[in-house]
Coordinates of all heavy atoms in Angstrom, one line a residue:
L391 N 32.2 78.6 144.1 CA 31.6 77.7 143.2 C 31.4 78.4 141.8 O 31.3 77.7 140.8 CB 30.3 77.2 143.6 CG 30.3 76.4 145.0 CD1 28.9 76.1 145.4 CD2 31.2 75.2 144.8
A392 N 31.3 79.7 141.7 CA 31.0 80.4 140.5 C 32.0 80.1 139.4 O 33.2 80.2 139.7 CB 30.9 81.9 140.7
R393 N 31.5 79.9 138.2 CA 32.5 79.7 137.1 C 33.3 81.0 136.8 O 34.5 80.9 136.6 CB 31.6 79.4 135.8 CG 32.5 79.0 134.7 CD 31.6 78.4 133.6 NE 32.4 77.7 132.6 CZ 32.0 76.9 131.6 NH1 30.7 76.8 131.5 NH2 32.8 76.5 130.7
S394 N 32.7 82.1 137.0 CA 33.4 83.4 136.8 C 33.0 84.3 138.0 O 32.1 85.1 138.0 CB 33.0 84.2 135.5 OG 33.3 83.4 134.3
P395 N 33.7 84.1 139.1 CA 33.4 84.9 140.3 C 33.7 86.3 140.1 O 34.5 86.8 139.3 CB 34.4 84.3 141.4 CG 35.5 83.8 140.6 CD 34.9 83.3 139.3
R396 N 32.9 87.1 140.9 CA 33.1 88.6 140.8 C 34.4 89.0 141.4 O 34.9 88.2 142.2 CB 31.9 89.3 141.6 CG 30.5 89.1 141.1 CD 29.6 89.9 141.9 NE 28.2 89.5 141.7 CZ 27.2 89.9 142.4 NH1 27.4 90.7 143.5 NH2 26.0 89.5 142.1
T397 N 34.9 90.1 141.1 CA 36.1 90.7 141.8 C 35.8 91.2 143.1 O 36.6 91.0 144.1 CB 36.7 91.9 140.9 OG1 35.7 92.9 140.8 CG2 37.1 91.4 139.6
R398 N 34.5 91.6 143.4 CA 34.1 92.1 144.7 C 32.7 91.8 145.0 O 31.8 91.8 144.1 CB 34.2 93.6 144.8 CG 35.6 94.2 144.9 CD 35.6 95.8 144.7 NE 36.9 96.3 145.2 CZ 38.0 96.2 144.5 NH1 37.9 95.8 143.3 NH2 39.1 96.7 145.0
Y399 N 32.5 91.4 146.2 CA 31.1 91.1 146.7 C 30.9 92.0 147.9 O 31.4 91.8 149.0 CB 31.0 89.6 147.2 CG 31.1 88.7 146.0 CD1 32.3 88.2 145.6 CD2 29.9 88.1 145.4 CE1 32.5 87.3 144.6 CE2 30.1 87.2 144.3 CZ 31.3 86.7 144.0 OH 31.4 85.8 143.0
V400 N 30.0 93.0 147.8 CA 29.6 93.9 148.9 C 28.4 93.3 149.6 O 27.4 93.0 148.9 CB 29.4 95.3 148.5 CG1 29.0 96.1 149.7 CG2 30.5 95.9 147.7
I401 N 28.5 93.0 150.9 CA 27.4 92.2 151.5 C 26.7 93.2 152.6 O 27.3 93.8 153.4 CB 28.0 91.0 152.3 CG1 28.8 90.1 151.2 CG2 27.0 90.2 152.9 CD1 29.7 89.1 151.8
T402 N 25.4 93.0 152.5 CA 24.4 93.7 153.3 C 23.9 94.9 152.6 O 24.8 95.6 152.0 CB 24.8 94.1 154.8 OG1 25.5 95.3 154.8 CG2 25.4 93.0 155.5
P403 N 22.6 95.2 152.5 CA 22.1 96.4 151.9 C 22.7 97.7 152.4 O 23.0 98.6 151.7 CB 20.6 96.3 152.2 CG 20.3 94.8 152.4 CD 21.5 94.3 153.1
A404 N 22.8 97.8 153.7 CA 23.4 99.0 154.3 C 24.8 99.2 153.9 O 25.2 100.4 153.6 CB 23.4 98.8 155.9
A405 N 25.6 98.2 153.7 CA 27.0 98.3 153.2 C 27.0 98.8 151.8 O 27.7 99.8 151.5 CB 27.8 97.1 153.3
R406 N 26.1 98.3 150.9 CA 26.0 98.7 149.6 C 25.6 100.2 149.5 O 26.2 100.9 148.6 CB 25.0 97.8 148.8 CG 25.6 96.5 148.5 CD 24.7 95.7 147.5 NE 23.6 95.2 148.1 CZ 23.4 94.1 148.7 NH1 24.4 93.3 148.9 NH2 22.2 93.7 149.3
A407 N 24.7 100.6 150.3 CA 24.2 102.0 150.3 C 25.3 102.9 150.7 O 25.5 104.0 150.1 CB 23.0 102.1 151.2
L408 N 26.1 102.6 151.8 CA 27.1 103.4 152.3 C 28.3 103.6 151.3 O 28.8 104.6 151.0 CB 27.7 102.9 153.6 CG 26.7 103.2 154.8 CD1 27.3 102.3 156.0 CD2 26.8 104.7 155.2
V409 N 28.7 102.5 150.6 CA 29.7 102.5 149.7 C 29.3 103.3 148.5 O 30.1 104.2 148.0 CB 30.1 101.0 149.2 CG1 31.0 101.1 148.0 CG2 30.8 100.3 150.3
Q410 N 28.1 103.1 148.0 CA 27.7 103.9 146.9 C 27.5 105.4 147.2 O 27.8 106.3 146.4 CB 26.4 103.3 146.3 CG 26.5 102.0 145.6 CD 27.5 102.0 144.5 OE1 27.6 103.0 143.7 NE2 28.4 101.0 144.4
T411 N 27.0 105.7 148.3 CA 26.8 107.1 148.8 C 28.2 107.8 148.8 O 28.3 109.0 148.3 CB 26.2 107.1 150.2 OG1 24.9 106.6 150.0 CG2 26.1 108.6 150.7
R412 N 29.2 107.1 149.4 CA 30.6 107.8 149.5 C 31.2 107.9 148.1 O 31.7 108.9 147.8 CB 31.5 106.8 150.3 CG 33.0 107.3 150.3 CD 33.1 108.6 151.0 NE 34.5 109.1 151.0 CZ 35.1 109.6 149.9 NH1 34.4 109.9 148.8 NH2 36.3 110.0 150.0
R413 N 30.9 106.9 147.2 CA 31.4 107.1 145.8 C 30.9 108.2 145.0 O 31.5 108.9 144.3 CB 31.3 105.7 145.2 CG 31.9 105.6 143.7 CD 31.7 104.2 143.1 NE 30.3 104.0 142.8 CZ 29.8 104.3 141.6 NH1 30.4 105.0 140.7 NH2 28.5 104.1 141.3

Side-chain angles (χ1 to χ4, degrees):
L391 300 175
R393 190 167 188 172
S394 298
R396 297 181 194 172
T397 58
R398 282 174 167 79
Y399 294 85
V400 184
I401 303 165
T402 79
R406 287 190 287 273
L408 284 167
V409 168
Q410 291 304 315
T411 297
R412 173 64 181 83
R413 184 178 71 85

